[in-house]
Amino acid sequence: MDARRIDKSRLPSRYVTEGAARAPHRSYLYAMGLTKEQIHQPLVGVATCWNEAAPCNISLMRQAQAVKKGVAAAAGTPREFCTITVTDGIAMGHNGMRSSLPSREVIADSVELTMRGHAYDALVGMAGCDKSLPGMMMAMVRLNVPSIFIYGGSILPGSFRGRPVTVQDMFEAVGKHSVGEMSDDDLDELEQVACPSAGACGAQFTANTMATVSEAIGLALPYSAGAPAPYEIRDRFCAAAGEMVMDLLAKNIRPRDIVTRRALENAATVVAASGGSTNAALHLPAIAHEAGIKFDLFDVAEIFRRTPYIADLKPGGRYVAKDMFEAGGIPLLMKALLDGGFMHGDCLTVTGRTMAENLAKVEWNPDQDVVRLTSSPITPTGGVVGLRGNLAPDGAIVKVAGMAADRQVFSGPARVFDCEEDCFEAVTKRTYREGEVLVIRYEGPKGGPGMREMLSTTAALYGQGMGDKVALITDGRFSGATRGFCIGHVGPEAAVGGPIGLLRDGDVITMDAIKGTLDVALSDEELAARRAAWQPRPSSATSGYLWKYAQGVGPAVSGAVTHPGGAHELKSYADL
């Protein structure tokens, strides 16, 4: 791509590099070794969430160098910068998890501020962990400069005594250890082999779910989100993305041209078809919000309801992301859905072609059983289901992938806990009873604050062999690695007086994932009387970022967002 073909008079970087008044600005660029030619080329932000917190992020800086080579090869000037990541696997099970969902907003905000402050013209954003993927895509849609998303890649599965394992096995091992079914030595051996390489958690947990979304929504190059982090082919995808973003800049193809209502429906479709994380019902509305599109939990749930579950992926199935990539990648999954009439083929993508055009040459691989045809699904409806009822007027979400139909209805007395720690203690001490519905409340976006995930608790239950003998509901979230009858995102949350905050021990709760209902056996009059007597609970966050987050965060049904969104913009950054 010849930079001279790109009219810089309308690009943001003109405010930094063009004209006599910008001589001081250019002097800073010369100080970093840029040439005159490089200064007057388009400036492309190469944003990564690299850090040394966890394996999901550790390879991003290496991959960024390949992106920069691609940008430079296409006559652009790459400018690398980093933002934060809070990694759920490390934050899980303690107060650190309160920082996880808020980090999504910090990532989007910090990428926006860096791009705005330095007047970059385009963006290649790289992320490797649960909240960094949606956070980076939110920034792209918010800024609306030509952008390409790159996933850092999944981890390879570990091997424990000849059996493939993931971090899911690690969390469930804690439950086994607590009831004496795993020794200290076995636990020690497992923890040293469960995560053998760089990359994000290998099954269809939140990171791989949102990576699948990145291709389905059109922001990532085909096949790029499936290749595991250690595979050298990742560098080829990265270099290609660097070159391609310059093509998008020349053609003025922007994220909001790509992220349309129909593209969001495609994204929700692949989540359901792959048995993906319930967190997608939080992140897709947030991405839509940046574009000014109304697409809430109920919109997502409706697509989940009508989409067949066809990819046999963990935690509900047998395979991990590496297996699907080697079977044909995310395009194989999307081709099956497109041919079955479940995806919109006319959506534009970052290739400059439509989804149907991208998939035209994808051939079905009959020698694999990771992905099925829609005519012979694992189950006829999606692996994730939306719920609604008098206990969840603003909705809730449950993952049923791999769950037999006769296990998708549960009724039992409530056992109420006002935080995850209290519930986890009851689980580890086995003071709960079979048949109970464990309720964890005051863990919503505002009440947590931060809407923590409950993987430590759910994994411990499963490790104790109780995963299908009790149910769990929360106004917080569940990890993509969670399995069993676990319902999250219950809204309105307890902190604002939602029905979940009015429950008492012994109240009978009935959840039906087949009908899509979540109810408590209380009359409207009884709920109203309890609401009148209800008092707000003081927040645990009285200063710092979590305090700021709690003041402004919205409900889970709309994505737990913190600003008015694209619908309230007068002009996007790209048009300044």
Side-chain angles (χ1 to χ4, degrees):
M1 180 61 58
D2 188 342
R4 290 173 298 182
R5 292 174 55 194
I6 298 177
D7 179 8
K8 204 167 182 184
S9 68
R10 298 186 64 85
L11 296 184
S13 66
R14 71 186 186 275
Y15 293 114
V16 171
T17 65
E18 306 306 305
R22 305 309 175 191
H25 306 66
R26 291 192 294 271
S27 72
Y28 281 129
L29 301 178
Y30 280 119
M32 292 183 284
L34 296 188
T35 66
K36 181 177 290 188
E37 181 183 20
Q38 288 172 321
I39 289 171
H40 292 289
Q41 291 177 161
L43 303 184
V44 178
V46 179
T48 78
C49 297
W50 176 88
N51 63 25
E52 293 182 333
C56 39
N57 312 306
I58 202 69
S59 71
L60 293 176
M61 187 175 289
R62 184 206 86 231
Q63 294 184 49
Q65 309 318 305
V67 172
K68 291 163 69 177
K69 290 178 181 177
V71 172
T77 302
R79 309 312 298 149
E80 181 181 357
F81 64 95
C82 288
T83 184
I84 70 157
T85 306
V86 173
T87 300
D88 287 10
I90 298 291
M92 194 72 67
H94 58 92
N95 266 315
M97 181 49 72
R98 299 191 195 281
S99 300
S100 172
L101 183 59
S103 76
R104 185 190 72 180
E105 312 308 304
V106 174
I107 291 163
D109 293 351
S110 60
V111 172
E112 176 196 359
L113 292 175
T114 300
M115 293 287 290
R116 283 183 179 272
H118 303 103
Y120 295 155
D121 302 315
L123 173 63
V124 179
M126 309 177 67
C129 199
D130 294 5
K131 307 308 171 295
S132 60
L133 277 80
M136 192 65 74
M137 286 185 267
M138 288 163 64
M140 291 175 174
V141 179
R142 184 186 304 178
L143 291 161
N144 205 31
V145 293
S147 302
I148 294 181
F149 177 84
I150 296 177
Y151 179 41
S154 67
I155 200 169
L156 297 176
S159 179
F160 179 66
R161 299 176 183 174
R163 177 172 63 89
V165 290
T166 70
V167 73
Q168 174 187 346
D169 298 276
M170 198 68 253
F171 277 98
E172 292 177 4
V174 173
K176 293 179 180 179
H177 181 267
S178 72
V179 294
E181 292 186 11
M182 178 171 278
S183 68
D184 290 347
D185 288 344
D186 287 351
L187 187 66
D188 180 67
E189 181 182 344
L190 178 59
E191 71 184 57
Q192 293 183 51
V193 300
C195 300
S197 73
C201 300
Q204 199 70 346
F205 309 152
T206 304
N208 280 320
T209 296
M210 295 310 296
T212 306
V213 160
S214 72
E215 287 195 33
I217 209 168
L219 289 174
L221 296 176
Y223 296 100
S224 66
Y231 285 18
E232 291 187 1
I233 194 175
R234 292 222 54 81
D235 289 354
R236 293 170 59 188
F237 286 126
C238 291
E243 293 187 45
M244 185 65 71
V245 80
M246 294 299 297
D247 195 35
L248 296 179
L249 190 60
K251 295 176 180 176
N252 196 29
I253 296 176
R254 301 179 179 186
R256 295 187 196 177
D257 300 323
I258 294 168
V259 180
T260 62
R261 168 75 188 218
R262 290 166 72 82
L264 288 158
E265 291 176 357
N266 282 348
T269 297
V270 298
V271 174
S274 64
S277 169
T278 56
N279 281 316
L282 197 67
H283 300 321
L284 290 177
I287 294 169
H289 180 73
E290 301 292 350
I293 300 170
K294 182 186 178 299
F295 191 71
D296 64 18
L297 182 148
F298 294 112
D299 296 309
V300 175
E302 172 57 24
I303 294 160
F304 288 169
R305 183 192 63 77
R306 64 181 190 235
T307 304
Y309 169 41
I310 62 172
D312 195 4
L313 299 171
K314 288 178 179 290
R318 295 176 293 165
Y319 295 108
V320 295
K322 175 188 79 72
D323 300 319
M324 187 159 78
F325 178 70
E326 293 173 352
I330 296 165
L332 183 71
L333 171 65
M334 295 194 296
K335 177 70 167 179
L337 291 165
L338 181 67
D339 288 349
F342 293 95
M343 286 189 72
H344 305 297
D346 58 347
C347 293
L348 184 65
T349 73
V350 291
T351 64
R353 300 186 297 272
T354 66
M355 182 65 69
E357 289 170 337
N358 286 346
L359 299 176
K361 294 184 179 180
V362 175
E363 295 184 0
W364 180 250
N365 178 2
D367 300 319
Q368 57 83 39
D369 61 351
V370 181
V371 179
R372 298 189 188 185
L373 294 170
T374 58
S375 57
S376 56
I378 300 168
T379 57
T381 58
V384 183
V385 174
L387 307 174
R388 198 172 197 170
N390 72 342
L391 186 50
D394 282 356
I397 204 87
V398 62
K399 187 172 185 175
V400 297
M403 189 184 297
D406 62 355
R407 299 288 187 182
Q408 294 183 27
V409 179
F410 195 102
S411 185
R415 179 80 177 279
V416 181
F417 303 91
D418 283 348
C419 65
E420 184 195 12
E421 287 83 358
D422 290 350
C423 186
F424 184 70
E425 182 179 7
V427 170
T428 54
K429 292 181 178 179
R430 301 294 299 271
T431 58
Y432 64 95
R433 296 178 181 176
E434 182 176 329
E436 287 185 324
V437 179
L438 308 182
V439 178
I440 305 177
R441 63 189 181 187
Y442 293 102
E443 293 285 8
K446 187 179 292 289
M451 205 177 182
R452 290 193 290 179
E453 290 182 350
M454 310 295 162
L455 178 60
S456 294
T457 301
T458 60
L461 285 167
Y462 219 94
Q464 292 175 358
M466 297 294 287
D468 59 354
K469 296 179 175 62
V470 297
L472 197 155
I473 71 169
T474 180
D475 52 7
R477 300 179 294 124
F478 289 112
S479 165
T482 292
R483 52 179 173 164
F485 213 136
C486 300
I487 295 170
H489 304 199
V490 174
E493 61 176 294
V496 298
I500 192 172
L502 310 178
L503 293 176
R504 297 172 184 168
D505 286 349
D507 290 341
V508 176
I509 297 171
T510 300
M511 49 209 77
D512 188 328
I514 297 172
K515 294 180 179 178
T517 57
L518 176 61
D519 294 290
V520 58
L522 296 172
S523 67
D524 292 346
E525 292 75 17
E526 175 62 20
L527 284 170
R530 291 189 188 185
R531 186 171 291 107
W534 176 82
Q535 294 293 323
R537 186 170 178 263
S539 174
S540 62
T542 56
S543 66
Y545 184 79
L546 291 182
W547 177 87
K548 288 195 290 185
Y549 180 81
Q551 306 314 301
V553 68
V557 65
S558 302
V561 295
T562 57
H563 71 108
H568 292 264
E569 278 183 1
L570 298 178
K571 185 179 289 187
S572 73
Y573 161 74
D575 294 317
L576 294 179

